[in-house]
Amino acid sequence: MLALGITCLAVYLVGRVAWPTLRDDLPDDSEEAYVAERQLQAGLALTFAAVALVALAALANWWPTK
């Protein structure tokens, strides 16, 4: 569940920058471009974190028990 939540947050952050037509204010000055860049970096980091959590969950469920 945590990985799903992180993935949804990552998609939202990247989507706000990737499809700026959904927003009224397009990044046109350096401060807004910096915020957009930080959102992309955060979305990318969260995507990798979600993939790692999914892999960890799969490994934890695979481990044999007695």
Side-chain angles (χ1 to χ4, degrees):
M1 291 300 286
L2 181 62
L4 178 62
I6 290 174
T7 302
C8 290
L9 180 61
V11 168
Y12 173 74
L13 288 174
V14 172
R16 282 179 48 109
V17 178
W19 293 283
T21 57
L22 299 178
R23 300 184 325 195
D24 293 335
D25 55 335
L26 298 175
D28 53 356
D29 65 358
S30 62
E31 183 178 341
E32 290 180 0
Y34 176 75
V35 170
E37 180 184 356
R38 297 296 295 166
Q39 286 180 342
L40 280 175
Q41 290 174 348
L44 183 62
L46 287 173
T47 300
F48 283 120
V51 169
L53 285 173
V54 168
L56 184 64
L59 288 174
N61 286 333
W62 171 82
W63 201 261
T65 59
K66 289 186 179 184

